[in-house]
Amino acid sequence: MRNIVLIGVALILLLGGGGAAWWFLMGPGAERTNELIAEINKPEPVYIPMDTPLVISLIQEAEVTHHVSMDITLLLADNYDAGMTQQNKARLRHAFLTELHSLFALRVVRNAGFESDLVKQRLMGVCDRLLGKGVVSEIILRELERRQPRKV
């Protein structure tokens, strides 16, 4: 009788292990298992802030109407390109200023807001040109201050 119980327990364990293996390796749980493994192996994001805020002058009819201060932070896909990005911060800053001045001259951008998706998309293009495609995964923009210059 004892042998039959041991064989029954062994058979139940074997069927349970085989069922679990099928579920997690080939069945419906396989996709979720792959997602969990990919999430565990995903590298930590790296944030690279620009050292000082960018100040953009808004010009209308040959007159400066506002000064807008923008804080920009780059989110890198992984730590591998952080050193190269740090070395190219001056080039990025210059390219960002050029792009933002050309963008903010457009009334559409001024009406949509300085933190709009169009602005982020154009700055992402600048990053792709200077650093390579896929190095920067997201750009975080924040308008710090908007002020009018003193009238002389």
Side-chain angles (χ1 to χ4, degrees):
M1 180 69 178
R2 196 165 99 186
N3 287 340
I4 295 174
V5 170
L6 286 176
I7 291 173
V9 169
L11 188 61
I12 290 172
L13 287 175
L14 191 63
L15 287 174
W22 172 81
W23 179 269
F24 288 113
L25 298 178
M26 297 179 290
E31 184 177 317
R32 180 69 180 134
T33 304
N34 290 340
E35 290 174 7
L36 288 173
I37 290 172
E39 189 174 317
I40 289 170
N41 292 333
K42 187 172 78 171
E44 289 292 320
V46 177
Y47 294 94
I48 305 283
M50 297 306 280
D51 294 331
T52 57
L54 302 177
V55 179
I56 298 96
S57 301
L58 301 181
I59 301 172
Q60 291 178 349
E61 299 175 8
E63 185 178 320
V64 176
T65 59
H66 289 86
H67 295 291
V68 178
S69 299
M70 301 287 294
D71 186 36
I72 298 179
T73 303
L74 306 176
L75 175 61
L76 303 184
D78 57 16
N79 199 18
Y80 180 73
D81 295 316
M84 177 191 59
T85 305
Q86 288 285 0
Q87 290 175 349
N88 288 313
K89 270 176 135 176
R91 291 179 60 211
L92 278 171
R93 180 179 177 78
H94 176 70
F96 285 163
L97 281 170
T98 303
E99 192 69 28
L100 289 172
H101 274 99
S102 66
L103 270 175
F104 291 165
L106 302 173
R107 184 179 302 141
V108 174
V109 176
R110 287 194 306 261
N111 292 342
F114 301 119
E115 300 168 4
S116 68
D117 289 335
L118 174 65
V119 175
K120 290 181 182 181
Q121 204 172 39
R122 295 280 296 265
L123 292 181
M124 186 67 80
V126 169
C127 290
D128 289 345
R129 278 194 315 271
L130 290 178
L131 302 175
K133 195 148 187 81
V135 173
V136 176
S137 59
E138 187 179 343
I139 294 180
I140 301 164
L141 287 175
R142 192 175 59 153
E143 182 182 336
L144 298 176
E145 179 184 24
R146 186 184 317 184
R147 58 187 165 83
Q148 290 182 336
R150 293 183 313 171
K151 299 284 182 183
V152 181

